Amino acid sequence: MINIEVNGREIEAEKGEMLLAVLRRAGVEIPTLCNIEGLTPTGACRLCVVEIDGMNGLVPSCAYPVAGGMKVQTHSNRAVQARKTIVELLLADHPDDCLYCVRNKNCELQDLAENLGVRQRRYKGARNRKHQDVSSPAIERDPEKCILCGKCVRVCEEIQGVAAIDFSGRGSKTHIATAFDEGMNVSSCIYCGQCIKVCPTGALREQSSVKRVMDAINDPDVVVVAQHAPAISVTIGEAFNMEAGADVSGALTTALRRMKFDRVFDTSFSADLTIMEEGSELVSRITNGGKLPMMTSCSPGWIKYVEQFFPDFIGNLSTCKSPQQMMGAVIKTYFAKREGIDPSKIFSVAIMPCTAKKFEAARPEMANNGNPDIDAVLTTRELIRMIEMRGIDLKDLDPDTADTPFGERSTAGKLFGASGGVMEAAIRSAHYLVTGGEMDELDVQNVRGMEGIKETSVKIGDLELKVAVVNGVGNASKLLKEVREGRKDLHFIEVMTCQGGCVNGGGQPIDTNLDNVRARLKGLYKLDKDSAVRTSHSNESIERLYDEFLGEPLGEKSHHLLHTTYTERDVVK
Amino acid sequence: MSVAVDLILDKRTGAGRDALIPILQEVQDAEGFLSKESVAQIGKKLDLPSSKIFGVATFYNQFRFKPLGKNHIQICRGTACHVKGSASIMERLERELGIGADETTGDGVFSLEVVACIGACGLAPVISINGEFYANLESEDVPKILEEYRNKEDVK
Ligand code: SF4
Ligand code: SF4
Ligand code: SF4
Ligand code: FES
C-alpha cells in the first residue's frame, strides 16, 4: 500500500495501479470516453487528464500508474479547461441531432457537454459527411456521430474475438470500418451488439422495429402476440428505479397488455420445450453414436460465428431452433389452430435482450410455408422506450400471468438467461429422460458464474456426462481448437455469445455494468431456488402441448417445426 | 487462392505481423491491387483479421483495393500544373469519365490517379496515360484524347 494525495485528501493505493482506478474507488468523478474496465487503456480520448505536482503537462489518469507521495489535482482549472476543449472539438465535427437521436438523454457526449458547461460553438468548420450503414438486419452505424473512441473495435476484437471492424484511413478521414468498407451485412459481424453497449454516442444502434410493432398493434385485423425472454423480467425493473435483479415478469405482462398486445407469453415456456427437444437429441446422439460433442444452438451470434469461422463444427450444433423460434413456430400453428385464428393474421413479436435475435428471426429457414415464425424482435432498450412512450411506470402495476396455452414455465427455462443455464436445465432433464428419476440435487453449481470456460461432469445412470460451458464467444475458439485437435471426452458444450449470458446481451440497457449483470444472475437463481417447478419436463403446459399437438420429442412434427439447419457462410473475415 | 500470393507468403515462413507492410507491397506489385481474397490469404498466414489489414493498408496512400483500369490516367496536381490550370483539367476528366480521383470506370477502361508532381513541370499542365505524356493541355483537349483510347478498345 502507498499513499497519494488527491485534491488535498490522502488516499490509499496499490503500487502500480492506474491512477484512474484509484480515483474512481475513492469516489472522485473523472470523465472518460475511451476507457473499458478490464482492458488495457489506450489513452485515446484524453478526457481523463489530471494535473500532477511537478509534472509539466497534464497526464491521462487511465494510463498513468500511481507512485507514493504523488500529489494530484483532478479538477484544477487547467484540467477542466482541457476537457472542455476536447469536448468542444468533438462537437465541431458532430451533427447537432440530439432531438432526433436514439441516445438523447442517455449519451456520454451530451452529458459531458452539459457537465462541462459548453454553451457556445467555439470551433466551426466543414463537417465530415459520412454514409450510414443500415445494411444489416441488426446493427446500424451512423459514422457522423462517431467520436473515434475505439471502444467498439476493442470489444469486438478483445472480448468477442470477432474483429469485424477497425480504424481505417488517416487524419481527418479516419473512420471505423469493416474490411473493405463494406456493409455490416457482408462482414464477419455476428450481430452480438456488444459494441452498441459500449458506444458513448448514437453512432451504433439496433435496427429498430418499434414502428412496425406499433403499426401492427394499431391494425384492428391483426392479432399481436408478444413473448418476453427469460432475461427481460430480471432486467427491466432497473429502468423504472426498481432493485436490480428483481423479477418483474408479472408487472411486465400487465404493461404489455396495457400496450394492447393481444396475448402475452413467456419465452421461458419454449425454453422448456427446447430442453425437451435438445435433451432428447443429446441422449439420442450419445446412444446412437451421433456427432459429439453436441453444441447448443440458442444463441444466434454464436451460430453465425460457427457458420463463418468454424464451419467444420456445423454438424455438432444441436438442430434445435432457439426458444424464440420454437415459440414463434407453435404460436402460428398450435395456438392459431386452438384459437381459430388465421396464422397469416398473427403478428408475432419477440422481446429479447439481444440484437442477433433480429438476424435469427430474419433467417430464411425460420419460417413455415413462407410465413416467418417471428415477425419482429424488440430489444430490451426498444421495449423500455415503448413503455415510456405510453407513459406507463412498471412500478405502479399489479402483476398478471401469461396467457394459455403456454401459461406455465419452469425455472429451468428461466435459467436460459444465464451463462450455464441451458446446460443446467438440460442436465436436469437429461437425467430424467435417461433414468426416469430426478437428480438428488438439482443445482449444478459448477456451470454457474462468470468464468470464461466452465467444465464439469455429472453422473446420469451409468453415464459420466462431461460438459463444458463457454461464457462469451470470445472464449470459444480455444475450446473448439482443442476439440479439432482431438479432444474427445466432452459430450455437450453450451456457448452463449455474451459474457454472463443473455442478462448481458447486446440488446440490454446501455449502462449495464458488471454489478447489474451479477444482480440479474442472482435474480434468476433466486427465482429457481424458490420455485416449485424446477425442471422443464415437469412443466404441465409442455406435457399438454406434446399430448395435443406435437406427439413426442424429435417426432415428425417437432422435426418439421422445431428443428433447423445451418450453412457455411462466406463472409469477409 | 492466388498462386502468386501463395508464393510471396511461402518465401516468408515464420513471418510475423511486422512483415505485413512489405507483404502488402509485394502482393500489390504482383497483382496490381489488394483483392479481398489476397487480404484474407495474408490474414490467414499472419493470423490477422481482414478488417485489421484493411485498416493498416488504408493508412497509407500507396495501396489500392480495386484493379486499375486498362488505361491508367495520371493527372499532375503539382504546383506548376496547378498554376497553369490543372484544376479545370481534373474537373473535365471527372465529368467525362464519371469518376473521381483514385477510381476506375465501371467498364474498367480508365482509372484516374492524382499525383503530386509527375516531374514534367515544363509541360504543365500535364497528364500521362499509360506512361505517355499529354502536354500543355487545355480542358477542351480532354474528350478527344479519351476518345482515342476508347476507339482502341473498340478495335480490339
Ligand atoms: S450522439 Fe449524443 S450528442 Fe450526438 S446527436 Fe446523439 S445524443 Fe446528441
Ligand atoms: S455486433 Fe458484435 S460482432 Fe458485430 S461489430 Fe459489434 S461487437 Fe463486433
Ligand atoms: S462507433 Fe461508438 S464506440 Fe465505436 S469508435 Fe465510434 S463512438 Fe466509439
Ligand atoms: S479514458 Fe483516459 S484517455 Fe480516454
Side-chain angles (χ1 to χ4, degrees):
Chain A
M1 276 292 174
I2 52 175
N3 280 318
I4 64 170
E5 191 191 297
V6 177
N7 305 336
R9 177 157 74 99
E10 285 277 304
I11 288 181
E12 282 203 335
E14 208 76 61
K15 214 176 152 203
E17 246 184 318
M18 292 303 156
L19 181 52
L20 178 67
V22 178
L23 294 172
R24 290 222 158 134
R25 202 170 49 233
V28 184
E29 291 246 357
I30 303 283
T32 60
L33 279 174
C34 70
N35 188 60
I36 306 181
E37 231 184 295
L39 298 188
T40 4
T42 55
C45 74
R46 299 326 246 200
L47 256 125
C48 65
V49 288
V50 296
E51 211 166 338
I52 296 180
D53 272 16
M55 303 258 320
N56 266 332
L58 298 167
V59 302
S61 57
C62 68
Y64 200 83
V66 288
M70 207 159 133
K71 287 191 175 148
V72 184
Q73 295 290 328
T74 60
H75 286 69
S76 67
N77 188 41
R78 218 169 128 216
V80 172
Q81 282 312 318
R83 286 178 206 143
K84 188 170 176 186
T85 305
I86 292 167
V87 171
E88 286 172 319
L89 286 168
L90 288 172
L91 292 177
D93 193 22
H94 194 87
D96 294 326
D97 210 14
C98 299
L99 280 174
Y100 305 93
C101 185
V102 66
R103 292 291 294 273
N104 191 23
K105 291 161 70 193
N106 184 19
C107 168
E108 291 177 41
L109 184 60
Q110 196 185 50
D111 286 351
L112 279 170
E114 171 63 24
N115 294 342
L116 290 164
V118 176
R119 281 290 174 267
Q120 16 164 318
R121 295 162 215 275
R122 279 209 294 148
Y123 305 99
K124 284 185 204 137
R127 279 199 8 243
N128 268 309
R129 291 284 170 179
K130 293 172 196 136
H131 291 295
Q132 298 193 12
D133 177 0
V134 295
S135 63
S136 103
I139 313 282
E140 293 187 351
R141 298 168 57 227
D142 186 352
E144 289 195 1
K145 290 183 185 163
C146 172
I147 55 169
L148 298 174
C149 71
K151 281 184 175 181
C152 53
V153 172
R154 305 191 66 207
V155 159
C156 191
E157 182 180 5
E158 295 174 42
I159 309 273
Q160 299 302 75
V162 174
I165 45 177
D166 203 348
F167 284 95
S168 169
R170 181 173 48 176
S172 68
K173 296 249 161 58
T174 309
H175 62 289
I176 306 293
T178 60
F180 297 90
D181 249 325
E182 293 199 295
M184 293 288 263
N185 60 334
V186 293
S187 76
S188 60
C189 171
I190 60 170
Y191 308 136
C192 68
Q194 288 302 321
C195 52
I196 299 181
K197 287 231 311 289
V198 294
C199 182
T201 73
L204 290 165
R205 57 174 185 243
E206 67 267 276
Q207 196 198 73
S208 176
S209 305
V210 170
K211 179 158 187 315
R212 281 178 51 233
V213 173
M214 298 279 234
D215 287 350
I217 287 177
N218 290 327
D219 184 340
D221 291 336
V222 172
V223 178
V224 186
V225 175
Q227 57 167 305
H228 55 89
I232 306 286
S233 75
V234 291
T235 300
I236 196 164
E238 291 167 28
F240 298 90
N241 294 320
M242 289 147 104
E243 201 192 326
D247 175 59
V248 299
S249 65
L252 176 60
T253 303
T254 307
L256 292 169
R257 293 229 164 87
R258 285 220 186 151
M259 292 157 78
K260 298 273 186 292
F261 283 94
D262 295 304
R263 295 291 194 291
V264 181
F265 300 127
D266 184 341
T267 314
S268 309
F269 163 83
S270 50
D272 284 334
L273 183 57
T274 305
I275 285 301
M276 295 308 289
E277 295 289 328
E278 197 162 346
S280 308
E281 183 185 356
L282 177 65
V283 172
S284 148
R285 283 189 191 225
I286 292 174
T287 43
N288 301 328
K291 196 152 196 186
L292 292 172
M294 186 168 95
M295 299 173 184
T296 54
S297 57
C298 35
S299 188
W302 151 246
I303 295 295
K304 188 166 187 270
Y305 180 89
V306 173
E307 289 177 319
Q308 62 196 28
F309 293 122
F310 288 91
D312 46 326
F313 285 112
I314 284 178
N316 296 71
L317 291 173
S318 160
T319 59
C320 288
K321 286 184 183 175
S322 69
Q324 161 177 296
Q325 297 303 135
M326 286 201 181
M327 184 66 111
V330 293
I331 284 172
K332 288 200 182 176
T333 52
Y334 174 65
F335 165 78
K337 203 159 135 205
R338 208 168 176 270
E339 308 260 323
I341 305 170
D342 173 359
S344 67
K345 290 269 183 286
I346 295 178
F347 190 86
S348 188
V349 181
I351 299 159
M352 294 285 139
C354 178
T355 44
K357 288 278 165 195
K358 291 177 185 265
F359 155 76
E360 180 181 52
R363 290 179 66 119
E365 314 84 55
M366 299 295 175
N368 184 22
N369 299 325
N371 190 358
D373 293 342
I374 295 291
D375 295 288
V377 175
L378 296 171
T379 60
T380 320
R381 294 188 292 268
E382 289 174 280
L383 177 66
I384 294 170
R385 268 174 234 143
M386 281 180 71
I387 296 179
E388 286 173 345
M389 269 192 259
R390 286 291 307 263
I392 297 171
D393 189 341
L394 225 47
K395 247 198 326 309
D396 304 337
L397 301 183
D398 291 328
D400 203 345
T401 50
D403 280 296
T404 44
F406 312 132
E408 207 189 352
R409 57 134 176 86
S410 81
T411 48
K414 204 70 192 158
L415 292 186
F416 269 58
S419 162
V422 176
M423 183 59 75
E424 188 160 344
I427 288 174
R428 291 178 189 175
S429 286
H431 187 278
Y432 175 79
L433 287 170
V434 171
T435 66
E438 301 294 347
M439 297 165 75
D440 299 335
E441 171 58 59
L442 288 174
D443 287 3
V444 188
Q445 291 294 347
N446 291 346
V447 298
R448 299 184 180 184
M450 290 298 283
E451 242 175 284
I453 299 183
K454 299 168 270 189
E455 292 192 20
T456 193
S457 65
V458 189
K459 193 117 184 83
I460 296 184
D462 297 332
L463 174 73
E464 189 72 29
L465 185 78
K466 289 215 65 177
V467 302
V469 172
V470 176
N471 176 21
V473 71
N475 296 309
S477 69
K478 185 171 160 269
L479 191 64
L480 291 179
K481 282 177 187 155
E482 283 174 23
V483 176
R484 200 184 253 169
E485 276 152 26
R487 184 168 172 193
K488 290 235 160 33
D489 59 326
L490 292 170
H491 296 103
F492 193 22
I493 300 176
E494 176 204 290
V495 183
M496 290 202 195
T497 305
C498 300
Q499 284 186 343
C502 313
V503 290
N504 188 27
Q508 292 281 69
I510 295 291
D511 27 28
T512 294
N513 59 27
L514 203 54
D515 290 339
N516 300 114
V517 174
R518 291 219 169 92
R520 293 169 198 165
L521 289 173
K522 220 166 121 196
L524 287 176
Y525 288 118
K526 179 170 183 315
L527 263 181
D528 180 50
K529 192 146 209 65
D530 301 342
S531 157
V533 187
R534 298 184 64 196
T535 59
S536 302
H537 53 269
S538 52
N539 178 340
E540 281 169 13
S541 302
I542 291 281
E543 262 177 63
R544 188 174 59 200
L545 176 61
Y546 277 107
D547 281 350
E548 289 182 9
F549 182 65
L550 286 172
E552 50 173 8
L554 306 185
E556 160 85 47
K557 259 220 169 76
S558 294
H559 179 76
H560 176 59
L561 290 173
L562 308 182
H563 290 256
T564 188
T565 53
Y566 313 101
T567 23
E568 181 164 356
R569 261 167 218 276
D570 188 17
V571 297
V572 192
K573 52 186 180 254
Chain B
M1 280 286 191
S2 152
V3 179
V5 177
D6 262 343
L7 287 175
I8 291 167
L9 293 174
D10 278 352
K11 275 195 316 207
R12 299 169 180 268
T13 34
R17 293 174 174 208
D18 47 345
L20 178 60
I21 304 274
I23 290 179
L24 289 174
Q25 284 166 331
E26 259 190 77
V27 169
Q28 177 158 300
D29 281 347
E31 309 257 283
F33 72 110
L34 299 173
S35 69
K36 279 183 208 160
E37 294 72 27
S38 313
V39 166
Q41 233 172 309
I42 297 167
K44 218 169 182 179
K45 166 92 176 180
L46 301 182
D47 194 20
L48 278 172
S50 292
S51 61
K52 225 162 209 78
I53 300 182
F54 182 73
V56 170
T58 52
F59 191 81
Y60 303 94
N61 278 331
Q62 53 177 301
F63 295 113
R64 271 189 303 278
F65 306 96
K66 289 200 182 110
L68 287 178
K70 285 198 199 110
N71 301 295
H72 183 46
I73 307 173
Q74 291 180 301
I75 171 165
C76 178
R77 297 284 279 122
T79 318
C81 286
H82 180 70
V83 171
K84 294 273 195 121
S86 63
S88 70
I89 310 275
M90 180 67 186
E91 214 176 278
R92 190 63 186 252
L93 277 167
E94 288 181 327
R95 186 141 50 87
E96 295 290 332
L97 296 170
I99 56 173
D102 300 318
E103 290 179 354
T104 301
T105 53
D107 57 8
V109 176
F110 293 104
S111 51
L112 180 58
E113 183 189 2
V114 176
V115 290
C117 179
I118 221 165
C121 303
L123 309 176
V126 61
I127 66 172
S128 120
I129 303 186
N130 306 335
E132 191 170 330
F133 282 72
Y134 293 83
N136 303 318
L137 276 185
E138 305 207 7
S139 68
E140 288 72 51
D141 303 333
V142 168
K144 207 170 70 238
I145 299 173
L146 294 179
E147 205 46 39
E148 244 175 72
Y149 285 87
R150 283 209 184 95
N151 289 339
K152 278 193 216 161
E153 275 309 305
D154 292 343
V155 176
K156 275 186 223 162

